[in-house]
Amino acid sequence: MSAILQNFEEYQRARIKFAQSVAELATRPQNIEIMNNAGVMQLLRPLLLDSVPSIQQTAALGLGRLANYSEDLAESIVGNDILPHLVYSLSDQNRFFKKAAAFVLRAVAKHSPDLAQAVVDSNALQSLVPCLEEFDPTVKEAAAWAIGYIAQHSPGLAQQVVDSGSVPLLVLCIQEPEISLKRISASCMGDICKHSPELAQAVVDAGAVAYLAPLITHPDAKLKRQVCGTLAQIAKHSVDLAEVVVEAEIFPSILTCLKDNDTLVKKNSATCVREISKHSPELAKLIVNSGGTAALVDYVREASSNNKLPGIMALGYIAAFSETLALAVIVSKGLLPLKDALINEPEDHIKAACVWTIGQIGRHTPDHARALAEGDILRHLLACMVHEDSSEDLKTKAKRSLKAILTKCTHLQALQPLLRDSPVKVQKYILRQFAQLLPHDIDARRSFVQSGGFQFLQELNETVGGKLSEFIVQINNCYPPEVVEYYSPSYSKTLIQKIDEYMPSNM
């Protein structure tokens, strides 16, 4: 009798050893291909239905690690019909297996929309959603993580997640004391919200914002990252959703996050402010009145590379709405960090954001344009426009911003240096300003001659036509004919000719 049972015990020990060895070997990337070629999937599959719970759990853990490694191995799990075994066992096994099974589903779903859809088609959501109500918080966490990885890929998948009834349970999970569960729940809701206003509204209707907003001040940095990111995903879709976020009294707390020690907390909070600021003048004004412009300016100054982007964009959105709001950006010393980013950031998309924001600030009135001119920013806008290595998007945005600012700029001294280096399209806007302003300003007329601008204008008149010639004629009419003749390129030739023709009286 004992000899017979011994065979069963040895077989069980062998299964345990095999499952544990595979799970351990799967932690090292160099072993993955060898195990896959040896048919590890087919060998682990029956162990998911083993009579010994510990073997089931370890086999699921091994499969999860394999699926996590690459999309091909995740597809292999789907192809070997392993998902139905997992889903079947998920509903009636112990908490350890549920965690391992949810890990496998997450590892498969994360790679692509098709694999996530395969997880949904295996009825995984019907088994994962009840796990959000488990007593063990680690089971809830594993289920929320898997659900988030399904929702992240597309609006269709996120809608299936919402239809499964998971959102109210995620809102309950975020109220649990465990910080890691709060993080995953917030992240999952962000993955749902990001796709469309309707999906964001579903999360809002479940009462999520009221529980997310207070967590902005939580001491845990990773939780704050997720909370700020999720609030940004809600606010970005519409004025109404942005107002829901604002009404949860996130200001001025979220501005404090712009000074956080964690880089991602700062970036996500700046992103949230940006998504709120873009919708309406009222929301932009609320941000300004909360001290938001100064906080954003400091953020842009201190952040590096791509992290600057949400702050730069937020300042642009605020400035776009009215001259008062644009002035608030100028008064908060916002031009200096924008100019610095325009000069020193190597990435064209960051420069393009700076150029756009500068255009939104300077397009309102002559005073706004003068602030940019006195800050020596116009020259750098022009450099972005004419530089051969600039992207087409950067060149286009630089041209638009320059045009908007130049049509408002009455600070002629700042415009003169641009005249020589600008292409004809920009010279047209500069000369139009001179043609409008010189007739009424004697000091400007004198300065234009003394700086060499008037002489350059006569040289330019030799080579251009059309609208430029019209503006040059208007400017020349501001000066006596003798001055115009003196500075024209042909005047020296005329003098030489007169010398040649002149006959001294004593000869």
Side-chain angles (χ1 to χ4, degrees), residues 227-314:
V227 169
C228 292
T230 299
L231 290 173
Q233 297 292 6
I234 294 170
K236 75 179 184 181
H237 292 292
S238 69
V239 179
D240 291 340
L241 287 168
E243 286 176 350
V244 169
V245 172
V246 169
E247 286 165 5
E249 300 181 355
I250 64 166
F251 289 101
S253 300
I254 200 158
L255 300 177
T256 308
C257 292
L258 292 171
K259 290 281 189 182
D260 200 272
N261 293 326
D262 186 89
T263 303
L264 276 176
V265 170
K266 289 191 283 190
K267 184 180 180 182
N268 289 359
S269 57
T271 303
C272 186
V273 175
R274 178 192 71 191
E275 299 298 357
I276 293 168
S277 68
K278 71 183 182 182
H279 289 295
S280 71
E282 292 76 22
L283 288 171
K285 187 177 180 181
L286 184 144
I287 292 168
V288 171
N289 292 342
S290 301
T293 43
L296 287 166
V297 167
D298 289 342
Y299 171 75
V300 173
R301 185 187 299 113
E302 294 164 6
S304 59
S305 64
N306 213 43
N307 292 335
K308 287 181 182 287
L309 201 55
I312 293 168
M313 296 289 288

XYZ file of all heavy atoms in Angstrom, residues 227-314:
649
model
N -3.228 59.913 -9.406
C -4.404 60.754 -9.168
C -4.393 61.971 -10.096
O -5.396 62.281 -10.744
C -4.463 61.187 -7.687
C -5.509 62.278 -7.483
C -4.774 59.982 -6.803
N -3.256 62.656 -10.171
C -3.158 63.830 -11.052
C -3.360 63.426 -12.511
O -4.024 64.142 -13.275
C -1.801 64.517 -10.881
S -1.565 65.314 -9.283
N -2.790 62.281 -12.881
C -2.951 61.794 -14.255
C -4.397 61.480 -14.582
O -4.894 61.818 -15.662
N -5.098 60.845 -13.665
C -6.502 60.484 -13.892
C -7.386 61.723 -13.951
O -8.272 61.831 -14.811
C -6.989 59.533 -12.784
O -6.188 58.343 -12.815
C -8.440 59.151 -12.985
N -7.166 62.673 -13.070
C -7.945 63.920 -13.108
C -7.710 64.661 -14.432
O -8.639 65.263 -14.988
C -7.579 64.815 -11.923
C -8.037 64.311 -10.548
C -7.470 65.182 -9.439
C -9.564 64.263 -10.457
N -6.480 64.605 -14.935
C -6.182 65.217 -16.239
C -6.960 64.518 -17.354
O -7.496 65.173 -18.260
C -4.689 65.164 -16.522
N -7.023 63.184 -17.287
C -7.747 62.426 -18.318
C -9.241 62.729 -18.280
O -9.913 62.701 -19.315
C -7.527 60.920 -18.116
C -6.088 60.453 -18.253
C -5.547 60.549 -19.666
O -6.195 61.075 -20.561
N -4.360 60.044 -19.884
N -9.780 63.019 -17.106
C -11.192 63.400 -17.011
C -11.408 64.806 -17.552
O -12.311 65.057 -18.362
C -11.674 63.318 -15.544
C -11.661 61.860 -15.055
C -13.080 63.918 -15.386
C -11.896 61.706 -13.565
N -10.544 65.732 -17.134
C -10.742 67.154 -17.449
C -10.533 67.477 -18.923
O -11.072 68.472 -19.419
C -9.795 68.004 -16.602
N -9.771 66.666 -19.632
C -9.361 67.045 -20.985
C -10.509 67.046 -22.000
O -10.417 67.698 -23.041
C -8.249 66.116 -21.483
C -8.699 64.723 -21.884
C -7.528 63.890 -22.398
C -7.990 62.526 -22.887
N -6.851 61.705 -23.356
N -11.602 66.348 -21.694
C -12.594 66.092 -22.734
C -13.559 67.248 -22.983
O -13.964 67.482 -24.121
C -13.400 64.837 -22.383
C -12.601 63.576 -22.439
N -12.110 63.053 -23.605
C -12.191 62.724 -21.458
C -11.446 61.943 -23.356
N -11.477 61.717 -22.054
N -13.978 67.963 -21.959
C -15.002 68.999 -22.146
C -14.990 69.996 -20.998
O -14.411 69.738 -19.933
C -16.392 68.360 -22.247
O -16.781 67.822 -20.982
N -15.661 71.131 -21.227
C -15.784 72.146 -20.174
C -16.502 71.565 -18.960
O -16.082 71.775 -17.814
C -16.578 73.371 -20.705
C -16.723 74.413 -19.608
C -15.885 73.989 -21.895
N -17.567 70.832 -19.210
C -18.364 70.290 -18.103
C -17.541 69.366 -17.219
O -17.597 69.443 -15.981
C -19.584 69.539 -18.645
C -20.596 70.485 -19.284
O -20.540 71.690 -18.967
O -21.404 70.022 -20.107
N -16.772 68.480 -17.843
C -15.946 67.545 -17.060
C -14.824 68.281 -16.335
O -14.488 67.943 -15.192
C -15.379 66.459 -17.981
C -16.403 65.424 -18.463
C -15.834 64.577 -19.594
C -16.857 64.523 -17.318
N -14.252 69.292 -16.988
C -13.207 70.093 -16.326
C -13.784 70.808 -15.109
O -13.129 70.910 -14.063
C -12.614 71.100 -17.312
N -15.014 71.300 -15.249
C -15.647 71.992 -14.119
C -15.936 71.038 -12.959
O -15.856 71.425 -11.788
C -16.925 72.680 -14.588
C -16.642 73.927 -15.422
C -17.902 74.574 -15.970
O -18.983 73.954 -15.872
O -17.797 75.704 -16.498
N -16.264 69.792 -13.283
C -16.465 68.789 -12.224
C -15.180 68.620 -11.414
O -15.193 68.560 -10.176
C -16.898 67.431 -12.827
C -16.846 66.340 -11.772
C -18.305 67.527 -13.402
N -14.054 68.564 -12.127
C -12.754 68.409 -11.454
C -12.448 69.638 -10.599
O -12.000 69.523 -9.447
C -11.635 68.164 -12.498
C -10.263 68.191 -11.837
C -11.857 66.832 -13.207
N -12.689 70.814 -11.157
C -12.407 72.067 -10.431
C -13.306 72.194 -9.199
O -12.864 72.626 -8.125
C -12.592 73.279 -11.369
C -12.565 74.582 -10.578
C -11.494 73.293 -12.431
N -14.566 71.809 -9.352
C -15.517 71.913 -8.233
C -15.177 70.977 -7.075
O -15.691 71.145 -5.968
C -16.935 71.642 -8.739
C -17.514 72.813 -9.545
C -18.751 72.421 -10.336
O -19.227 71.270 -10.183
O -19.237 73.261 -11.116
N -14.309 70.009 -7.346
C -13.842 69.135 -6.260
C -12.746 69.803 -5.432
O -12.114 69.160 -4.592
C -13.331 67.816 -6.846
N -12.532 71.105 -5.710
C -11.598 71.946 -4.938
C -10.162 71.439 -5.011
O -9.481 71.302 -3.996
C -12.062 72.066 -3.480
C -13.447 72.705 -3.353
C -13.904 72.847 -1.911
O -13.192 72.362 -1.014
O -14.975 73.440 -1.687
N -9.711 71.213 -6.259
C -8.309 70.784 -6.417
C -7.343 71.965 -6.358
O -6.129 71.773 -6.203
C -8.094 70.001 -7.732
C -8.353 70.894 -8.955
C -8.958 68.762 -7.778
C -7.850 70.295 -10.242
N -7.865 73.196 -6.512
C -7.003 74.376 -6.400
C -7.117 74.938 -4.989
O -8.201 74.957 -4.415
C -7.428 75.456 -7.419
C -7.114 75.086 -8.833
C -8.100 74.592 -9.670
C -5.824 75.212 -9.326
C -7.820 74.237 -10.968
C -5.534 74.863 -10.636
C -6.534 74.372 -11.462
N -6.016 75.389 -4.389
C -4.669 75.474 -4.961
C -3.792 74.243 -4.705
O -2.599 74.278 -4.987
C -4.082 76.694 -4.248
C -4.706 76.624 -2.874
C -6.096 76.058 -3.072
N -4.369 73.154 -4.185
C -3.551 71.993 -3.803
C -2.733 71.447 -4.970
O -1.558 71.081 -4.816
C -4.454 70.877 -3.263
O -5.164 71.320 -2.137
N -3.344 71.423 -6.156
C -2.638 70.820 -7.300
C -1.460 71.685 -7.737
O -0.490 71.187 -8.315
C -3.608 70.556 -8.477
C -2.994 69.514 -9.421
C -3.975 71.842 -9.217
C -3.982 68.798 -10.282
N -1.528 72.987 -7.432
C -0.395 73.866 -7.746
C 0.792 73.572 -6.840
O 1.947 73.747 -7.241
C -0.811 75.337 -7.619
C -1.962 75.786 -8.537
C -2.318 77.239 -8.258
C -1.593 75.590 -9.998
N 0.503 73.117 -5.632
C 1.579 72.707 -4.714
C 2.333 71.517 -5.286
O 3.554 71.380 -5.086
C 0.989 72.351 -3.335
O 0.165 73.421 -2.885
C 2.089 72.096 -2.321
N 1.611 70.656 -6.010
C 2.254 69.480 -6.626
C 3.278 69.872 -7.681
O 4.171 69.079 -8.003
C 1.201 68.565 -7.254
S 0.129 67.751 -6.067
N 3.152 71.084 -8.237
C 4.139 71.545 -9.223
C 5.509 71.750 -8.591
O 6.513 71.867 -9.300
C 3.673 72.862 -9.859
C 2.428 72.788 -10.756
C 1.962 74.178 -11.141
C 2.711 71.960 -12.000
N 5.544 71.793 -7.256
C 6.813 71.941 -6.533
C 7.255 70.630 -5.873
O 8.205 70.608 -5.103
C 6.649 73.013 -5.438
C 6.507 74.426 -5.956
C 7.854 74.996 -6.347
C 7.775 76.470 -6.649
N 9.085 77.004 -7.080
N 6.555 69.549 -6.185
C 6.841 68.261 -5.543
C 8.255 67.785 -5.883
O 8.830 68.168 -6.905
C 5.806 67.226 -6.015
C 5.716 66.035 -5.076
O 6.491 65.066 -5.268
O 4.902 66.088 -4.149
N 8.793 66.937 -5.019
C 10.135 66.384 -5.274
C 10.125 65.335 -6.384
O 11.156 65.067 -6.999
C 10.704 65.754 -3.992
C 10.986 66.801 -2.932
O 11.361 67.927 -3.259
N 10.794 66.448 -1.676
N 8.956 64.737 -6.625
C 8.854 63.680 -7.635
C 8.589 64.306 -9.012
O 7.642 65.069 -9.196
C 7.719 62.720 -7.270
C 7.648 61.527 -8.197
O 8.311 60.519 -7.915
O 6.943 61.617 -9.225
N 9.419 63.954 -9.989
C 9.320 64.545 -11.332
C 7.985 64.247 -11.990
O 7.367 65.124 -12.608
C 10.458 64.024 -12.228
O 11.704 64.316 -11.604
C 10.426 64.683 -13.588
N 7.512 63.009 -11.853
C 6.256 62.637 -12.507
C 5.032 63.277 -11.845
O 4.049 63.574 -12.514
C 6.104 61.120 -12.534
C 6.811 60.410 -13.692
C 6.675 58.907 -13.563
C 6.254 60.858 -15.032
N 5.097 63.482 -10.545
C 4.007 64.201 -9.872
C 3.907 65.609 -10.447
O 2.809 66.106 -10.771
C 4.226 64.259 -8.346
C 3.222 65.210 -7.692
C 4.092 62.874 -7.733
N 5.053 66.262 -10.600
C 5.075 67.620 -11.152
C 4.530 67.643 -12.572
O 3.707 68.488 -12.931
C 6.505 68.177 -11.120
C 6.999 68.498 -9.718
C 8.291 69.282 -9.720
C 9.488 68.422 -10.026
N 10.763 69.131 -9.800
N 4.978 66.695 -13.375
C 4.537 66.670 -14.779
C 3.041 66.391 -14.888
O 2.325 67.051 -15.659
C 5.328 65.611 -15.556
C 4.983 65.590 -17.040
C 5.775 64.540 -17.798
C 5.406 64.554 -19.269
N 6.119 63.508 -20.035
N 2.544 65.414 -14.132
C 1.125 65.068 -14.207
C 0.227 66.180 -13.674
O -0.871 66.399 -14.191
C 0.859 63.755 -13.462
C 1.421 62.556 -14.205
O 1.985 62.692 -15.283
N 1.269 61.383 -13.626
N 0.692 66.875 -12.645
C -0.115 67.991 -12.132
C -0.119 69.149 -13.133
O -1.157 69.801 -13.329
C 0.396 68.455 -10.765
O 1.757 68.829 -10.832
N 1.013 69.387 -13.789
C 1.059 70.413 -14.842
C 0.138 70.032 -15.999
O -0.545 70.889 -16.583
C 2.489 70.597 -15.337
N 0.102 68.748 -16.317
C -0.784 68.263 -17.376
C -2.250 68.495 -17.000
O -3.061 68.904 -17.835
C -0.538 66.771 -17.638
O 0.837 66.572 -17.985
C -1.414 66.253 -18.768
N -2.579 68.247 -15.753
C -3.956 68.454 -15.282
C -4.343 69.934 -15.384
O -5.438 70.264 -15.858
C -4.097 67.967 -13.841
S -5.793 68.017 -13.219
N -3.454 70.814 -14.962
C -3.718 72.254 -15.069
C -3.884 72.650 -16.535
O -4.775 73.434 -16.885
C -2.576 73.067 -14.409
C -2.783 74.562 -14.625
C -2.501 72.762 -12.921
N -3.041 72.089 -17.392
C -3.151 72.384 -18.828
C -4.514 71.970 -19.380
O -5.163 72.723 -20.107
C -2.054 71.648 -19.597
C -2.107 71.851 -21.116
C -1.195 70.874 -21.835
N -1.722 69.511 -21.779
C -1.017 68.435 -22.140
N 0.233 68.545 -22.550
N -1.571 67.237 -22.073
N -4.947 70.762 -19.017
C -6.216 70.255 -19.561
C -7.410 71.072 -19.068
O -8.419 71.192 -19.768
C -6.403 68.782 -19.177
C -5.325 67.840 -19.705
C -5.243 67.790 -21.223
O -6.064 68.439 -21.905
O -4.351 67.123 -21.746
N -7.301 71.643 -17.887
C -8.376 72.503 -17.375
C -8.332 73.869 -18.057
O -9.359 74.418 -18.452
C -8.257 72.652 -15.845
C -8.539 71.307 -15.152
C -9.209 73.723 -15.322
C -8.179 71.275 -13.687
N -7.120 74.399 -18.230
C -6.965 75.774 -18.718
C -7.445 75.967 -20.149
O -7.806 77.077 -20.542
C -5.493 76.201 -18.620
O -4.704 75.467 -19.552
N -7.479 74.908 -20.936
C -7.725 75.076 -22.372
C -9.200 75.285 -22.719
O -9.515 75.670 -23.848
C -7.191 73.854 -23.134
C -7.997 72.572 -22.938
C -7.362 71.413 -23.676
C -8.189 70.135 -23.534
N -7.548 68.995 -24.207
N -10.104 75.057 -21.777
C -11.519 74.987 -22.133
C -12.239 76.332 -22.197
O -13.057 76.552 -23.081
C -12.257 74.060 -21.161
C -11.923 72.621 -21.338
N -12.230 71.920 -22.475
C -11.296 71.741 -20.518
C -11.809 70.669 -22.354
N -11.246 70.533 -21.178
N -11.987 77.218 -21.256
C -12.777 78.450 -21.221
C -12.013 79.560 -20.503
O -11.127 79.293 -19.676
C -14.113 78.211 -20.496
O -13.890 78.044 -19.102
N -12.371 80.836 -20.806
C -11.739 81.962 -20.102
C -11.973 81.907 -18.594
O -11.099 82.295 -17.817
C -12.426 83.192 -20.718
C -12.999 82.736 -22.010
C -13.327 81.289 -21.837
N -13.149 81.422 -18.202
C -13.476 81.374 -16.771
C -12.545 80.414 -16.023
O -12.053 80.724 -14.929
C -14.933 80.945 -16.574
C -15.960 81.955 -17.047
C -16.117 82.007 -18.565
O -15.762 81.002 -19.228
O -16.562 83.040 -19.085
N -12.301 79.252 -16.635
C -11.402 78.291 -15.988
C -9.964 78.805 -15.982
O -9.230 78.627 -14.998
C -11.481 76.940 -16.714
C -12.785 76.154 -16.491
C -12.857 74.956 -17.424
C -12.907 75.698 -15.044
N -9.560 79.451 -17.069
C -8.209 80.021 -17.115
C -8.052 81.106 -16.057
O -7.019 81.190 -15.375
C -7.928 80.587 -18.508
N -9.100 81.931 -15.898
C -9.052 82.999 -14.891
C -8.988 82.420 -13.482
O -8.275 82.939 -12.623
C -10.296 83.887 -15.043
C -10.268 85.127 -14.174
C -11.477 86.008 -14.425
C -11.442 87.242 -13.545
N -12.632 88.106 -13.760
N -9.708 81.334 -13.253
C -9.672 80.679 -11.946
C -8.246 80.216 -11.618
O -7.775 80.361 -10.481
C -10.627 79.488 -11.946
C -10.801 78.720 -10.636
C -12.231 78.249 -10.483
C -9.852 77.525 -10.540
N -7.565 79.668 -12.625
C -6.174 79.221 -12.415
C -5.282 80.402 -12.075
O -4.456 80.341 -11.153
C -5.667 78.484 -13.672
C -6.417 77.158 -13.851
C -4.165 78.218 -13.586
C -6.193 76.496 -15.194
N -5.451 81.505 -12.819
C -4.648 82.709 -12.565
C -4.913 83.249 -11.166
O -3.980 83.586 -10.421
C -4.951 83.788 -13.629
C -4.294 85.115 -13.259
C -4.466 83.330 -15.001
N -6.188 83.317 -10.787
C -6.552 83.851 -9.462
C -6.073 82.966 -8.319
O -5.953 83.426 -7.177
C -8.072 84.042 -9.373
C -8.570 85.157 -10.276
O -7.778 86.002 -10.711
N -9.850 85.166 -10.575
N -5.808 81.696 -8.622
C -5.282 80.774 -7.603
C -3.764 80.823 -7.506
O -3.162 80.059 -6.748
C -5.715 79.335 -7.934
O -7.113 79.222 -7.991
N -3.151 81.704 -8.287
C -1.681 81.779 -8.305
C -1.056 80.824 -9.295
O 0.144 80.514 -9.204
N -1.848 80.392 -10.261
C -1.382 79.363 -11.184
C -0.314 79.811 -12.157
O 0.574 79.023 -12.512
N -0.372 81.067 -12.607
C 0.622 81.502 -13.602
C 2.036 81.497 -13.007
O 2.970 80.997 -13.637
C 0.287 82.913 -14.137
O -0.103 83.753 -13.053
C -0.828 82.860 -15.148
N 2.179 82.048 -11.810
C 3.506 82.058 -11.171
C 4.008 80.636 -10.938
O 5.192 80.330 -11.167
C 3.445 82.818 -9.853
N 3.111 79.744 -10.516
C 3.493 78.351 -10.272
C 3.911 77.662 -11.570
O 4.889 76.906 -11.599
C 2.331 77.596 -9.623
N 3.186 77.926 -12.650
C 3.522 77.328 -13.947
C 4.841 77.877 -14.484
O 5.649 77.135 -15.066
C 2.402 77.579 -14.960
C 1.120 76.765 -14.771
C -0.008 77.334 -15.611
C 1.351 75.295 -15.115
N 5.058 79.176 -14.306
C 6.316 79.789 -14.760
C 7.499 79.157 -14.024
O 8.525 78.808 -14.637
C 6.283 81.319 -14.553
C 7.679 81.924 -14.722
C 5.303 81.958 -15.535
N 7.367 79.006 -12.729
C 8.435 78.359 -11.940
C 8.644 76.924 -12.409
O 9.790 76.444 -12.488
C 8.077 78.361 -10.452
C 8.165 79.749 -9.843
O 8.807 80.622 -10.458
O 7.579 79.963 -8.765
N 7.550 76.242 -12.717
C 7.654 74.852 -13.177
C 8.415 74.778 -14.498
O 9.319 73.939 -14.657
C 6.264 74.242 -13.346
C 6.293 72.895 -14.019
C 6.708 71.755 -13.330
C 5.945 72.749 -15.356
C 6.769 70.520 -13.944
C 5.998 71.516 -15.982
C 6.411 70.400 -15.275
O 6.475 69.176 -15.902
N 8.079 75.654 -15.440
C 8.765 75.645 -16.743
C 10.251 75.956 -16.557
O 11.108 75.364 -17.213
C 8.109 76.653 -17.710
C 8.916 76.787 -18.994
C 6.684 76.225 -18.036
N 10.560 76.867 -15.635
C 11.950 77.239 -15.398
C 12.753 76.061 -14.826
O 13.910 75.842 -15.194
C 12.020 78.421 -14.429
C 13.435 78.953 -14.210
C 13.487 80.004 -13.123
N 12.665 81.157 -13.450
C 11.565 81.525 -12.811
N 11.132 80.809 -11.758
N 10.883 82.593 -13.166
N 12.123 75.293 -13.938
C 12.850 74.244 -13.223
C 12.831 72.894 -13.944
O 13.737 72.087 -13.768
C 12.240 74.071 -11.824
C 12.444 75.302 -10.928
C 11.525 75.299 -9.711
O 10.819 74.282 -9.513
O 11.498 76.304 -8.983
N 11.800 72.641 -14.751
C 11.678 71.340 -15.424
C 12.694 71.234 -16.549
O 13.268 72.229 -16.999
C 10.262 71.153 -15.960
N 12.902 70.006 -17.002
C 13.872 69.786 -18.068
C 13.226 69.029 -19.225
O 12.293 68.251 -19.031
C 15.087 68.995 -17.552
O 14.667 67.743 -17.031
N 13.737 69.286 -20.404
C 13.347 68.619 -21.653
C 11.832 68.477 -21.783
O 11.104 69.436 -21.627
C 14.064 67.265 -21.778
O 13.677 66.380 -20.761
N 11.363 67.257 -22.030
C 9.956 67.042 -22.360
C 9.010 67.359 -21.205
O 7.820 67.601 -21.424
C 9.759 65.581 -22.791
C 8.685 65.452 -23.846
O 8.619 66.244 -24.768
N 7.828 64.468 -23.703
N 9.530 67.370 -19.988
C 8.686 67.683 -18.833
C 8.189 69.125 -18.855
O 7.189 69.453 -18.205
C 9.441 67.420 -17.531
C 9.700 65.945 -17.304
O 8.967 65.098 -17.815
N 10.740 65.618 -16.569
N 8.885 70.000 -19.585
C 8.462 71.400 -19.679
C 7.142 71.549 -20.433
O 6.400 72.508 -20.236
C 9.517 72.220 -20.438
C 10.806 72.503 -19.704
C 11.725 73.337 -20.594
C 13.068 73.618 -19.937
N 12.989 74.594 -18.855
N 6.869 70.602 -21.339
C 5.819 70.770 -22.332
C 4.447 71.128 -21.757
O 3.820 72.098 -22.209
C 5.734 69.511 -23.198
C 5.079 69.651 -24.562
C 5.740 70.749 -25.383
C 5.155 68.330 -25.311
N 3.922 70.374 -20.764
C 2.588 70.738 -20.260
C 2.540 72.130 -19.647
O 1.534 72.836 -19.776
C 2.288 69.642 -19.227
C 3.586 69.012 -18.897
C 4.440 69.149 -20.116
N 3.610 72.550 -18.993
C 3.649 73.898 -18.419
C 3.644 74.974 -19.493
O 2.936 75.985 -19.378
N 4.435 74.762 -20.539
C 4.482 75.719 -21.655
C 3.107 75.840 -22.311
O 2.616 76.933 -22.579
C 5.539 75.272 -22.689
C 6.954 75.380 -22.091
C 5.444 76.098 -23.962
C 8.030 74.700 -22.926
N 2.486 74.693 -22.549
C 1.168 74.686 -23.205
C 0.110 75.352 -22.320
O -0.751 76.082 -22.805
C 0.757 73.249 -23.515
C 1.650 72.535 -24.511
S 1.472 73.167 -26.177
C -0.144 72.545 -26.607
N 0.178 75.086 -21.024
C -0.798 75.685 -20.103
C -0.711 77.210 -20.138
O -1.734 77.906 -20.183
C -0.576 75.166 -18.683
